[in-house]
């Protein structure tokens, strides 16, 4: 029935744009507050443009919001539970948002809605670390099929390396970025910096696109591998840049350019480093043992094992 | 007590008096004995039970625990929605399974190659810290399962993969080749699916319905990693 459709709660494009532009506003949905269900109120903290008669209501609502925002202390379990307060559909929506970055859409404002979660970054990093180790090992298996002289081994230490690298990247780089943005806070008027967790969240979700890319790197065609890598890097870096752009555009041009290019460069370093470490290009491996064999006297010929030089 | 009976009076004739009004008039006379023995009906039974676990033979104790572990193994092999694993959880089963798996998966000490299979400690750490992480994850998402119950379920559901490891070890005694690999792959995949089904049967109900997939995905990743370690095992 049309009447029922009108009464149902619809997400409006203008509302989300409004929220994205005014970062101090907070939408209060019916489930969080004591307001009746389905009632959406946009509350502007600092000097809203609403009429005077609504100010009394607003002050009540802001007081309510501030009371609710008192989080439990960091030593309680409830504090950490607030970072895992997401549903399956929300996580899937955030992943979709990181896969399809659009120039106007800021990941933090549109998808996170000021409620960052730690579930996504943690499990995306864990999945990526294991997928890297597993597919790296698989390429060795496939290479051995084509060339039986290559020695196969499970290479279990790569799991440790992958895990440490990715987790350090997702925690230390956002820490540096957050610190830098806070330091430059004075220069900006309109938009406040993101919280540390939001930065970690953006980085974590932006790494999702590498998971299918790493699986596709199993195809042993070099130019295809570089193509997929470039595509994934472009998508991932675009998410980061579109998220950071509203924050840095008020800064001086030099600082903005340097910051964005550093972010993209670090991301590219991670991608290229992973490609070279876990998917060692096979021609090098294939050529090295014969060279080694020919230069040594026959008595000291070693069986062809993966060279230790790159580890 | 005779006085109390008198003072309560006839309910029909006099005006209604509040209940127990005459209680304050009771006085206990000296000749009513108030000493004696209070016997609890179950007392003798409890006493027997206490002394029996202390004085029973070691064989009885071990057999009782082994039977409990064996019963839970049966529940994992034929997963139905029962909460035996949850109600009387124990960590003996997971310990036995983890040690067996780690002993079979470790690389031999002769093989000092840098990139070989996992060490004993690596397998142990992956299994236990993986289980702890998944439990923390499900608790943080709002599940109502206790910490050790979840560890118990995840540990017991490694049983199909341990069976797969044994089968793979036996298959590897035969000639290496593609058929060898196919058989091992098939066995590992079947056991992996069995583990997931078994643990989902026990764990899924404890999560809120809109977060079930979020809680089950780490379990999938955990058993996938263990299956991968089993599949890539190569005897040196």
């Amino acid at each position: 029935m049309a009447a029922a459709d009108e009464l149902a709660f619809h997400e409006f494009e203008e509302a989300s744009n409004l929220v994205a532009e005014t970062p101090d506003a907070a939408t209060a949905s019916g489930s969080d507050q004591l307001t009746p269900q389905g009632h959406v109120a946009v509350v502007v903290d600092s000097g809203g443009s609403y009429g005077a008669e609504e100010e009394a209501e607003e002050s009540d609502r802001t007081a309510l919001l501030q009371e609710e925002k008192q989080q439990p202390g960091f030593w309680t379990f409830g504090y950490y539970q607030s970072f895992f307060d997401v549903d399956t559909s929300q996580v899937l929506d955030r992943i979709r948002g990181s896969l399809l970055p659009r120039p106007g859409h800021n990941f933090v404002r549109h998808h996170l809605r000021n409620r960052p979660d730690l579930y996504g970054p943690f499990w995306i990093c864990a999945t990526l670390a294991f997928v890297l180790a597993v597919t790296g090992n698989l390429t060795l298996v496939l290479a051995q099929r084509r060339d039986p002289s290559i020695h196969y081994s499970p290479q279990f230490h790569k799991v440790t390396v992958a895990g440490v690298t990715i987790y350090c990247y997702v925690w230390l780089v956002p820490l540096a970025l957050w610190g830098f943005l806070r330091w430059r806070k004075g220069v900006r008027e309109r938009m406040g910096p993101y919280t540390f967790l939001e930065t970690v969240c953006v980085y974590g979700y932006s790494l999702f696109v590498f998971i299918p890319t790493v699986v596709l790197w199993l195809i042993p065609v070099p130019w295809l591998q570089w193509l997929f890598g470039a595509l994934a890097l472009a998508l991932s870096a675009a998410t980061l840049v579109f998220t950071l752009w509203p924050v840095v555009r008020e800064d001086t041009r030099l600082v903005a350019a340097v910051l964005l290019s550093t972010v993209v460069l670090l991301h590219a370093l991670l991608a290229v480093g992973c490609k070279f470490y876990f998917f060692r290009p096979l021609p090098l491996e294939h050529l090295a043992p014969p060279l080694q064999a020919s230069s040594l006297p026959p008595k000291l010929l070693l069986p062809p094992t993966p060279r230790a030089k790159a580890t | 007590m005779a006085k109390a009976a008198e003072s309560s009076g006839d309910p029909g004739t006099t005006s209604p008096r509040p209940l127990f009004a005459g209680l304050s008039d009771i006085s206990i006379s000296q000749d009513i004995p108030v000493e004696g023995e209070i016997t609890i009906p179950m007392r003798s039974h409890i006493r027997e039970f206490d002394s029996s676990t202390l004085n029973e033979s070691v064989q009885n104790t071990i057999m009782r625990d082994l039977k409990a572990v064996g019963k839970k193994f049966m529940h994992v092999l034929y997963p139905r929605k029962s909460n035996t694993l949850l109600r009387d959880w124990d960590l003996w089963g997971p310990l036995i399974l983890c040690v067996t798996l780690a002993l079979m998966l470790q690389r031999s000490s002769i093989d000092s190659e840098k990139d070989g299979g996992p060490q004993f400690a690596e397998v142990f750490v992956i299994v236990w810290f993986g289980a702890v992480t998944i439990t923390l994850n499900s608790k943080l998402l709002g599940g109502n399962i206790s910490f050790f119950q979840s560890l118990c379920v995840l540990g017991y559901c490694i049983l199909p993969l341990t069976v797969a490891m044994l089968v793979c070890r036996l298959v590897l005694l035969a000639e290496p080749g593609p058929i060898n690999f196919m058989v091992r792959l098939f066995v590992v995949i079947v056991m992996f699916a069995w583990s997931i089904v078994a643990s989902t049967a026990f764990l899924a109900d404890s999560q809120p319905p809109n977060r079930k997939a979020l809680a089950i995905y780490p379990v999938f990743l955990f058993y996938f990693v263990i299956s991968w370690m089993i599949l890539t095992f190569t005897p040196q």
Side-chain angles (χ1 to χ4, degrees):
Chain A
M1 280 190 38
D5 281 340
E6 283 166 11
L7 290 174
F9 178 64
H10 293 289
E11 186 68 55
F12 292 111
E13 192 69 24
E14 306 95 54
S16 48
N17 282 339
L18 186 69
V19 169
E21 276 167 30
T22 53
D24 293 330
T27 52
S29 67
S31 53
D32 301 326
Q33 311 291 327
L34 303 171
T35 52
Q37 277 215 341
H39 177 67
V40 174
V42 177
V43 179
V44 180
D45 271 343
S46 54
S49 52
Y50 297 97
E53 67 270 11
E54 295 198 10
E55 275 186 27
E57 262 182 61
E58 270 181 31
S59 60
D60 283 345
R61 229 172 261 140
T62 49
L64 201 64
L65 278 176
Q66 275 156 14
E67 269 174 31
E68 288 245 0
K69 282 212 175 120
Q70 249 181 10
Q71 279 187 328
F74 70 91
W75 56 89
T76 60
F77 194 67
Y79 177 76
Y80 298 103
Q81 228 169 0
S82 62
F83 301 138
F84 280 77
D85 194 15
V86 278
D87 295 338
T88 312
S89 56
Q90 283 177 330
V91 170
L92 289 175
D93 173 58
R94 290 172 186 194
I95 289 177
R96 228 175 293 134
S98 79
L99 283 177
L100 307 163
R102 280 184 283 172
H105 279 231
N106 184 338
F107 185 77
V108 172
R109 298 291 170 223
H110 279 264
H111 291 275
L112 294 187
R113 308 272 170 109
N114 298 336
R115 292 181 63 189
D117 69 302
L118 276 181
Y119 178 91
F122 184 80
W123 287 109
I124 291 176
C125 291
T127 312
L128 187 59
F130 285 121
V131 166
L132 267 176
V134 166
T135 47
N137 205 226
L138 266 177
T139 48
L140 198 58
V141 168
L142 293 175
Q144 197 201 19
R145 273 171 200 286
R146 270 176 283 130
D147 177 17
S149 66
I150 295 176
H151 176 76
Y152 167 75
S153 59
Q155 295 177 322
F156 195 73
H157 68 287
K158 290 200 167 172
V159 173
T160 324
V161 172
V164 169
T165 315
I166 294 185
Y167 274 104
C168 279
Y169 182 78
V170 170
W171 281 93
L172 294 180
V173 172
L175 185 68
L177 185 66
W178 172 75
F180 182 78
L181 285 178
R182 275 188 80 91
W183 176 52
R184 304 284 302 175
K185 192 168 75 160
V187 180
R188 279 186 304 277
E189 298 117 20
R190 271 184 52 189
M191 197 147 168
Y194 299 130
T195 66
F196 172 60
L197 274 174
E198 285 169 350
T199 325
V200 167
C201 218
V202 174
Y203 264 86
Y205 278 105
S206 74
L207 284 181
F208 179 82
V209 72
F210 284 110
I211 297 177
T213 313
V214 165
V215 174
L216 284 172
W217 274 346
L218 275 175
I219 306 172
V221 179
W223 62 265
L224 203 60
Q225 287 179 342
W226 285 109
L227 181 68
F228 285 138
L231 199 64
L233 181 65
L235 278 176
S236 187
T239 311
L240 288 175
V241 166
F242 291 148
T243 307
L244 287 175
W245 177 243
V247 180
V248 298
R249 77 176 154 201
E250 291 140 23
D251 222 329
T252 60
R253 273 185 180 267
L254 180 65
V255 170
V258 165
L259 184 71
L260 288 177
S261 52
T262 314
V263 161
V264 173
L265 193 67
L266 281 174
H267 223 65
L269 263 178
L270 180 77
V272 170
C274 284
K275 165 118 187 22
F276 274 120
Y277 184 69
F278 294 100
F279 301 86
R280 238 166 265 173
L282 292 166
L284 276 176
E285 229 178 356
H286 185 59
L287 284 172
L291 281 174
Q292 200 182 26
S294 60
S295 61
L296 291 170
K299 280 182 205 160
L300 294 174
L301 260 182
L302 300 165
T305 53
R307 299 273 307 263
K309 65 168 165 76
T311 54
Chain B
M1 280 200 287
K3 280 189 184 172
E6 271 173 38
S7 56
S8 55
D10 291 327
T13 51
T14 56
S15 58
R17 300 177 64 196
L19 278 177
F20 305 119
L23 217 51
S24 51
D25 301 338
I26 295 175
S27 63
I28 298 176
S29 57
Q30 300 295 329
D31 51 356
I32 300 177
V34 284
E35 44 189 79
E37 270 189 39
I38 303 174
T39 55
I40 307 168
M42 297 286 287
R43 190 185 177 207
S44 55
H45 177 71
I46 292 173
R47 246 220 197 137
E48 243 175 82
F49 188 64
D50 266 346
S51 60
S52 69
T53 57
L54 270 178
N55 293 339
E56 72 179 1
S57 62
V58 174
Q59 186 192 7
N60 276 358
T61 315
I62 294 181
M63 286 311 294
R64 192 174 57 234
D65 281 334
L66 275 180
K67 275 193 199 134
V69 168
K71 196 165 124 192
K72 292 200 189 74
F73 278 169
M74 283 300 129
H75 275 274
V76 168
L77 286 178
Y78 303 106
R80 271 163 313 197
K81 280 202 187 290
S82 79
N83 48 6
T84 310
L85 251 77
L86 293 177
R87 228 184 17 231
D88 334 300
W89 58 266
D90 72 88
L91 292 178
W92 282 115
L95 183 67
I96 295 172
L97 288 171
C98 182
V99 168
T100 315
L101 198 63
L103 277 174
M104 288 197 284
L105 274 176
Q106 63 172 346
R107 74 180 92 155
S108 61
S109 53
I110 312 164
D111 167 36
S112 60
E113 214 177 285
K114 191 179 168 208
D115 39 50
Q119 303 272 19
F120 180 93
E122 285 173 339
V123 178
F124 216 80
V125 159
I126 283 194
V127 169
W128 285 102
F129 276 93
V132 166
T133 310
I134 296 174
T135 307
L136 276 179
N137 177 65
S138 83
K139 281 187 82 73
L140 284 169
L141 282 173
N144 59 357
I145 193 172
S146 97
F147 184 76
F148 287 108
Q149 280 172 347
S150 176
L151 277 187
C152 170
V153 168
L154 288 168
Y156 270 102
C157 290
I158 298 180
L159 176 68
L161 286 169
T162 312
V163 169
M165 180 75 223
L166 285 165
V167 171
C168 282
R169 264 263 158 132
L170 290 171
V171 169
L172 278 169
L173 291 173
E175 272 189 30
I179 304 176
N180 195 309
F181 178 72
M182 282 298 152
V183 168
R184 281 189 293 141
L185 182 68
F186 177 71
V187 167
V188 169
I189 287 181
V190 165
M191 292 301 175
F192 167 63
W194 201 332
S195 283
I196 300 248
V197 165
S199 60
T200 311
F202 295 119
L203 287 177
D205 286 335
S206 65
Q207 290 295 323
N210 51 349
R211 295 181 185 184
K212 275 205 173 76
L214 293 186
I216 297 295
Y217 170 73
V219 177
F220 170 85
L221 191 64
F222 176 63
Y223 289 128
F224 178 77
V225 170
I226 297 183
S227 312
W228 178 254
M229 289 198 292
I230 292 175
L231 194 58
T232 60
F233 172 75
T234 47
Q236 299 302 330

